Structures are given as C-alpha cells and as structure tokens.
Amino acid sequence: MGPGEPPCCGESRRSRRGWAKATGYTGRTGRTGRTSPRPGTELAHERLPMKIGIIGAGNIGGNLTRRLTALGHDVSVANSRGPETLKALVEETGATAVTVAEAARGAEVVVVTIPLKNVPDLPAGLFDEAAEGVAVIDTGNYYPKERDGRIDAIEDGGLTESRWTEQHLGHPVVKVFNGTYAQDLLDRPLPAGDPERIAVPVAGDDEAAKRVVRALVDELGFDSVDAGGIDDSWRQQPATPVYGLRAGAEAVARALAEASPERPAAHRV
C-alpha cells in the first residue's frame, strides 16, 4: 500500500502473533505444506493448492504471502531489491524468494502489488511462462501527488487505474484488495456466513479469472462483490465510498452504486 491508502501495519510482529494464535498458524509451512487451523477456525471449503506468484513484498504483498502459505498454497514472492532481501519473510512463511522475472513462472495466480509508477518497469513477457489462463490480481492505486507523479493516460485519457496497469502488463487483470487495510488480511478473516464478515469489491473483464479470484478471496476469509469490468473499476478507486470500507456485501454493493466518476481534486494533478 502507498501514501494516502488505508493505514496498515502489515509488518507488525505483535499483530502477526495474534493472528497466528487465533488460527493455529505455526509459521513455516514448506512450499506445498498445509498448516491446519485449530478445529472451528476453518475459513473456507478445502481447495487444491495453487501455485501463486506475488510481485511486491510490502504490507499487502507480505501479508498475502503469510496467509496464502498458511492455507497451503505454493507461493513465490519477489520484490524490486532481489530475493536475498526476502530472507526473513521466507523463513517465516516457507514461501520461495524469486526474481520478478521468475515470479509468474508456472503460476495459476499472480498478484501485482507494487506502486503504480513502477508498473512500466516490470519485465516484458512477464506472463509468458505462467500457467494457461493465469489470473492476474492488481491491488494498485494511483497517487499522483504523494508518490506516482502525473500519468496523462489516467488524468486526461479517461483510463481507469487498472486499465492503465492492464495495458502495461499486456494481460487482463482483476482488481481487488486495493482498498483493503493490510492488517485486516491477518486480523479479520471470518468463516462464510458470519454476519461480521467483511466484503471486498472485485472488478475484471475475464469472468473465468474473476471466479478464481473470488474463490481465493473466500478462502482468505472475506466475501466479495462483483464490481463489474475494469472500465467500472473507478468505483473502487481511492476516495470513493467503498475505498477502505469495512462492511458486509450489501453495504459494499451500496457504496459501489453511490460512487461518482469524477476524480476528487485531491487525487488529480
């Protein structure tokens, strides 16, 4: 997450311990191992482990690495500084540290969770060796004043943030978790049907990929609301009613409907 996004404390050791105690998570799981929660804490139906690549190891990327390895998925994680800088996260979770160019290799799901301004720097052909039909998750947000600088195609060209990202990646994306507090990934997962379960909006044009992503969201312990296609994803961009909202599916759907396509002045340059 970046400046101006929902406040998050993804690197809080104390908070990670609290989540681990609540779920029975023991830390290192191995590349394909499954750490079983204590009875009664299961968050979703059993699903086959997937190979997942995560590009970005900040608050969101780090906490998704923690959760997805604990659920038994085979996770590879990369950042811009190189695999050697991810030693602590790898030792904690059992994920595999790789280069950015290797992160999508064989992956069924790839999470791109880096500052928007860095998206054009990702290597060409990033998904050439990914699994057929790979679902690509985009968690990014545009912060022109605080971080990203002006992007003309978004400011003047009418592109949504995720459409711009998609064009640079050369692959369809599914937008999710862009307005999620990173710490909530650890602290707030709940079983399906729990009245306190948080919902998140999910936007994307590829319906098959969207189904995969929504199933993964459910497995992580959250409900999801179909927010339409990528051209509709402005409804969940920063400063919209749903951004940072901690609420159930009905409230999330209502907030999406109340959004205005006009970008607030604070988010324009």
Side-chain angles (χ1 to χ4, degrees):
M1 307 288 275
E5 298 184 62
C8 48
C9 312
E11 299 306 311
S12 166
R13 190 180 301 272
R14 183 173 62 181
S15 295
R16 292 202 303 268
R17 287 174 180 159
W19 168 73
K21 183 177 180 181
T23 62
Y25 173 58
T26 59
R28 189 174 180 85
T29 63
R31 290 191 65 190
T32 57
R34 178 178 293 274
T35 300
S36 297
R38 294 201 308 271
T41 64
E42 293 82 358
L43 300 177
H45 299 297
E46 289 291 323
R47 296 189 176 96
L48 292 176
M50 292 189 293
K51 184 170 177 56
I52 298 174
I54 299 179
I55 300 173
N59 290 326
I60 289 287
N63 284 351
L64 283 174
T65 299
R66 293 179 178 96
R67 290 297 322 283
L68 292 168
T69 52
L71 289 167
H73 296 291
D74 178 3
V75 177
S76 296
V77 60
N79 67 4
S80 60
R81 295 176 294 155
E84 65 279 1
T85 67
L86 295 169
K87 182 178 179 181
L89 183 62
V90 165
E91 290 180 349
E92 177 190 345
T93 64
T96 300
V98 297
T99 66
V100 171
E102 297 168 328
R105 190 171 294 168
E108 299 160 83
V109 174
V110 175
V111 182
V112 179
T113 180
I114 62 176
L116 207 72
K117 66 178 182 178
N118 295 341
V119 169
D121 297 330
L122 292 173
L126 182 60
F127 306 107
D128 287 353
E129 297 182 60
E132 183 176 357
V134 59
V136 178
I137 291 174
D138 168 32
T139 75
N141 294 303
Y142 174 46
Y143 288 98
K145 294 182 178 179
E146 301 92 339
R147 182 189 66 193
D148 297 313
R150 180 183 173 86
I151 297 176
D152 290 343
I154 295 175
E155 294 283 355
D156 303 327
L159 291 182
T160 62
E161 297 165 10
S162 286
R163 182 66 77 193
W164 182 87
T165 295
E166 182 178 274
Q167 289 182 357
H168 280 279
L169 294 177
H171 194 283
V173 301
V174 178
K175 189 178 189 75
V176 67
F177 292 135
N178 70 292
T180 300
Y181 293 81
Q183 194 62 31
D184 286 356
L185 294 170
L186 303 186
D187 293 345
R188 291 177 179 254
L190 289 169
D194 190 297
E196 300 298 319
R197 202 184 207 210
I198 292 174
V200 296
V202 182
D205 298 331
D206 184 332
E207 292 298 327
K210 192 188 289 186
R211 285 194 295 273
V212 170
V213 171
R214 294 185 72 182
L216 195 61
V217 169
D218 177 55
E219 189 178 3
L220 285 164
F222 301 89
D223 286 336
S224 64
V225 174
D226 192 330
I230 288 300
D231 288 337
D232 302 311
S233 62
W234 56 266
R235 294 182 181 275
Q236 65 194 80
Q237 290 178 173
T240 58
V242 80
Y243 185 77
L245 180 65
R246 288 168 164 151
E250 289 187 10
V252 166
R254 187 164 56 248
L256 287 167
E258 292 171 352
S260 167
E262 183 71 21
R263 186 182 296 277
H267 291 271
R268 299 196 308 266
V269 292

